[in-house]
Amino acid sequence: MRVTENAYDVRIRPATAQDAEAVTGVFLASRAAAMPYLPRVHSDEDTLAWITHVVLPTSTDVRVAEGAEGELLGFAVLAGDDELDHLYLRPDALRRGIGSRLLAEVREAAGGPLNLYVFQRNTAARAFYERHGFTAVAFDDGGRNEENEPDVLYQWAP
């Protein structure tokens, strides 16, 4: 199914425990489409358990974007006061302003500067964050993440 909504037809709301399966589906589909070079270090079942028992209940703020039929199109996670830990969209929901709306929600929830990590090879995500005023401040060799993929730390301040 192709998404026909633009960002203004999408409802952004706080995530609930019932969203775990749909959030996991978006996470897995997005990573597979955007970053096929990443090694799969966890099974789908382990990823669902992580979303269910770690991400949703322990993050500062988790927002989901829903389409007109209630289908989950994307999500964003604020960890702590200043880290955008995840922002993922279904592959068919890209370039419709939905990611920008989710990012705006996280910025509002944070109320101040934000930091995030992006894999260096994820040029589409890097361009997205740079368009939104984030600046690359540090590059890593991949030793800090479980995929061992070089990443870059971005920062944004209001």
Side-chain angles (χ1 to χ4, degrees), residues 72-151:
L72 197 114
L73 303 174
F75 70 97
V77 176
L78 177 64
D81 294 330
D82 66 352
E83 183 178 357
L84 175 59
D85 203 19
H86 304 285
L87 195 161
Y88 287 96
L89 298 177
R90 278 185 4 196
D92 62 346
L94 297 172
R95 292 176 181 77
R96 299 182 181 280
I98 299 166
S100 296
R101 280 207 46 215
L102 283 166
L103 179 58
E105 293 271 340
V106 171
R107 283 178 169 170
E108 184 176 326
L114 278 178
N115 300 306
L116 62 91
Y117 284 94
V118 176
F119 294 117
Q120 289 181 29
R121 288 199 277 175
N122 191 348
T123 56
R126 291 182 63 186
F128 171 81
Y129 292 117
E130 289 169 8
R131 279 193 312 274
H132 286 281
F134 284 80
T135 303
V137 296
F139 291 81
D140 188 271
D141 66 1
R144 61 160 294 283
N145 63 65
E146 64 188 358
E147 293 88 357
N148 293 310
E149 180 69 25
D151 58 17

Side-chain angles (χ1 to χ4, degrees), residues 53-76:
H53 301 294
V54 178
V55 174
L56 291 177
T58 67
S59 299
T60 304
D61 194 350
V62 182
R63 301 292 171 114
V64 295
E66 287 183 328
E69 304 298 318
E71 70 279 18
L72 197 114
L73 303 174
F75 70 97

